[in-house]
Amino acid sequence: MNNRVEKALNEQIHKEASSSQYYLAMASWSENNGLNGTAKFMYTHSDEERFHMLKLVKFVNERGGKAVIPSIEKPPLEFSTLKNVFESLLKHEIGVTESINNLVDVCLQEKDYTTHNFVQWYVAEQLEEEALARSMLDKLKLIGADSGGMYMFDRDLENAVNPEPNKTA
Ligand code: FEO
């Protein structure tokens, strides 16, 4: 496997693993703040990110590279508000999208069209994840400080969770 492509794929493994831990921290905070629907959504999202990481690990190894399993920085323990949770999530996903775009660039520069094709799944996934985070934030902005609205938001999230996240890929 091309060295630059392998390095970029390993950086992406680190990003996806960090995302999984980050969403796990958000799930835990939500659970401790009585937001059980949001917690369920974040636990599932954390599992999805782990799946994104695993998919990369297997791809690197299958193509003759060596996947590096990274150590992960500690995510935040506290968030000020639910809106702050989703703002953090969107900011994080924008960073992941930049990293995927960089990976696409490296694949094209190195003429690795197989990896380029593989990475397209992540390009589409990022579009969806950013759109979802933006729509959640829009709703939270409308709700403002209204506790009834917040209750409905949390309940809606509980019902929105895909019961089999790993089957979406
Ligand atoms: Fe797998 Fe949300 O990035």
Side-chain angles (χ1 to χ4, degrees), residues 9 55-56 59 113-122:
L9 284 166
K55 202 173 154 81
L56 284 156
F59 180 79
Y113 301 116
T114 306
T115 305
H116 181 266
N117 186 48
F118 168 78
V119 167
Q120 293 312 304
W121 182 85
Y122 289 84

Side-chain angles (χ1 to χ4, degrees), residues 67-122:
V68 179
I69 308 305
S71 61
I72 306 298
E73 57 279 14
K74 188 178 172 189
L77 187 62
E78 296 294 341
F79 298 89
S80 54
T81 59
L82 186 58
K83 186 164 156 269
N84 175 244
V85 166
F86 281 93
E87 280 166 351
S88 304
L89 188 147
L90 177 60
K91 195 170 161 215
H92 189 81
E93 287 301 336
I94 289 171
V96 174
T97 301
E98 279 170 14
S99 168
I100 292 287
N101 288 343
N102 177 59
L103 183 51
V104 170
D105 258 356
V106 173
C107 290
L108 289 175
Q109 283 166 23
E110 299 298 327
K111 300 192 185 336
D112 183 345
Y113 301 116
T114 306
T115 305
H116 181 266
N117 186 48
F118 168 78
V119 167
Q120 293 312 304
W121 182 85
Y122 289 84

Side-chain angles (χ1 to χ4, degrees), residues 22-36:
Y22 200 39
Y23 299 147
L24 195 53
M26 290 175 175
S28 182
W29 179 87
S30 302
E31 196 164 49
N32 284 329
N33 283 279
L35 297 159
N36 292 338

